[in-house]
Amino acid sequence: MHPIPTWLWGVFWAAVLTLLVVDLLGHRGHHGESRRAAWMWTGVWVAAGLAFGGLVWAVLGADAGQEYLAAWLIEKSLSLDNAFVFLVIFQSLSVPVRAQHQVLFLGIFGALVFRALFIFVGAAALERWSWVSYVFGAILLVTAWRVLREDPAKQQGNRAVSWLSRHLPVTQHLHDKKFIVRREDGRRVATPLLLALLGLELTDILFAVDSVPAAFSVTKDTFILYSSNAFAILGLRALYLVLAGTLGKLRYLHYGLAGVLAFAGLKMVVTPWFHVPPLPSVLVIVALVGTSVVASVIARRRETPAASREEGPEPDATVRR
């Protein structure tokens, strides 16, 4: 554990709240819904996360800075799995792009609260019972096997949304950006936006069971864990909008994510006998995710010319008789 100055917590919360307000104001009406704006905001959130990591490095030292970077990369890479689920939820409920930002903003705000709960409870458990690290390691290894076998890009529905649809009074129609509306008979019912928001929150809680223990594999410091998690998930909305049209094309990405989870799980299990420093962990994470993305892009490019050849040449409308 690193001694954390009180002012550093203040800088963290000031930065997070300022960026949230700027993000909210920047997306009033229909502003910021374009792909170009999503790319810009993704760059802003990545730069903010790395800049805060530089501050951690300068104030707490190189070890703490490397731990932050490793934890941030783990959460950032695993958030791609969240993006797959978000896409499935929005498509299944036919939520238009103009309403997605509001749902994502509120969903991410809720995720900040739940991640804090998971991190501080997990840190307390690890400090009191050393065997909890083996439980976390086992959870990560089981999850890695599940992610390896199940391609999230092929999911057709979301269980949380299906369950909510069966147990809540719901209208099938959107009512602008309202979450609850009143019918003519006076009965209040949920709109698809509320279903999407609750589905996102429940899904994030399930993902936190995987991603938070993965971050514990590189550091046990609650400040580093929470700040790295916060800056990683704050950019999830913009990252989702950037990747929404290309997620299905990254066919090998889930192999890279499974590798990250398996690596984190093994680290948790072998920590009492073998310690892997944060910097090599960063390199392993980058290599796993990067290789899966590059392999997906190469496979996609190879298939495109092949598909064109199978379809045959287009008929030439200018052929002379």
Side-chain angles (χ1 to χ4, degrees), residues 158-168 195 202:
N158 182 265
R159 294 179 181 178
V161 171
S162 299
W163 186 88
L164 290 168
S165 299
R166 294 193 302 269
H167 293 81
L168 289 177
L195 282 186
L202 291 175

Side-chain angles (χ1 to χ4, degrees), residues 168-173 175 178-192 194:
L168 289 177
V170 181
T171 176
Q172 301 299 318
H173 304 288
H175 294 263
K178 296 179 180 179
F179 292 96
I180 298 177
V181 295
R182 188 190 296 271
R183 286 179 174 172
E184 294 180 357
D185 58 4
R187 187 184 184 190
R188 294 183 181 274
V189 294
T191 69
L194 182 59

Side-chain angles (χ1 to χ4, degrees), residues 223-302:
F223 174 78
I224 294 175
L225 281 165
Y226 188 63
S227 60
S228 59
N229 258 258
F231 276 104
I233 63 176
L234 282 172
L236 183 55
R237 178 204 59 80
L239 183 63
Y240 160 78
L241 293 177
V242 167
L243 297 176
T246 58
L247 281 172
K249 301 175 183 178
L250 300 177
R251 65 175 64 182
Y252 300 129
L253 178 61
H254 66 291
Y255 293 124
L257 299 181
V260 171
L261 288 166
F263 172 70
L266 289 173
K267 279 195 66 177
M268 294 292 289
V269 172
V270 304
T271 292
W273 305 280
F274 183 74
H275 174 66
V276 181
L279 190 56
S281 299
V282 170
L283 299 177
V284 170
I285 296 166
V286 172
L288 289 169
V289 177
T291 300
S292 64
V293 171
V294 171
S296 300
V297 172
I298 292 175
R300 182 76 179 178
R301 288 180 177 177
R302 286 178 177 176

Side-chain angles (χ1 to χ4, degrees), residues 3-276:
I4 310 299
T6 304
W7 65 265
L8 192 57
W9 274 108
V11 171
F12 164 70
W13 281 115
V16 169
L17 293 176
T18 300
L19 287 169
L20 281 174
V21 170
V22 172
D23 179 71
L24 184 61
L25 295 177
H27 291 83
R28 289 180 299 177
H30 297 290
H31 297 289
E33 294 176 358
S34 67
R35 192 175 181 84
R36 180 179 179 182
W39 273 108
M40 183 194 72
W41 276 104
T42 297
V44 169
W45 287 115
V46 169
L50 293 177
F52 192 81
L55 179 62
V56 170
W57 192 307
V59 175
L60 303 180
D63 288 342
Q66 292 172 19
E67 290 174 3
Y68 172 93
L69 180 59
W72 180 81
L73 278 173
I74 285 176
E75 186 59 42
K76 201 70 176 175
S77 59
L78 294 180
S79 67
L80 295 173
D81 210 7
N82 292 53
F84 277 112
V85 178
F86 292 174
L87 181 62
V88 171
I89 290 175
F90 286 139
Q91 288 182 344
S92 64
L93 296 172
S94 300
V95 177
V97 175
R98 67 178 184 276
Q100 290 177 9
H101 173 264
Q102 183 181 10
V103 176
L104 288 169
F105 182 87
L106 293 174
I108 289 171
F109 188 81
L112 289 174
V113 177
F114 289 115
R115 295 302 173 96
L117 179 64
F118 275 104
I119 287 171
F120 287 100
V121 170
L126 284 170
E127 186 176 356
R128 184 168 183 179
W129 302 294
S130 59
W131 53 265
V132 173
S133 62
Y134 300 113
V135 176
F136 283 176
I139 291 173
L140 291 170
L141 291 173
V142 171
T143 305
W145 177 248
R146 176 182 59 79
V147 173
L148 183 67
R149 296 182 61 188
E150 301 176 5
D151 186 352
K154 297 180 180 179
Q155 293 182 10
Q156 299 299 320
N158 182 265
R159 294 179 181 178
V161 171
S162 299
W163 186 88
L164 290 168
S165 299
R166 294 193 302 269
H167 293 81
L168 289 177
V170 181
T171 176
Q172 301 299 318
H173 304 288
L174 290 171
H175 294 263
D176 195 21
K177 294 186 179 181
K178 296 179 180 179
F179 292 96
I180 298 177
V181 295
R182 188 190 296 271
R183 286 179 174 172
E184 294 180 357
D185 58 4
R187 187 184 184 190
R188 294 183 181 274
V189 294
T191 69
L193 289 188
L194 182 59
L195 282 186
L197 176 60
L198 294 176
L200 261 61
E201 294 291 6
L202 291 175
T203 299
D204 185 75
I205 291 173
L206 295 176
F207 276 118
V209 175
D210 304 329
S211 62
V212 171
F216 272 114
S217 69
V218 294
T219 182
K220 304 297 186 296
D221 190 289
T222 52
F223 174 78
I224 294 175
L225 281 165
Y226 188 63
S227 60
S228 59
N229 258 258
F231 276 104
I233 63 176
L234 282 172
L236 183 55
R237 178 204 59 80
L239 183 63
Y240 160 78
L241 293 177
V242 167
L243 297 176
T246 58
L247 281 172
K249 301 175 183 178
L250 300 177
R251 65 175 64 182
Y252 300 129
L253 178 61
H254 66 291
Y255 293 124
L257 299 181
V260 171
L261 288 166
F263 172 70
L266 289 173
K267 279 195 66 177
M268 294 292 289
V269 172
V270 304
T271 292
W273 305 280
F274 183 74
H275 174 66
V276 181

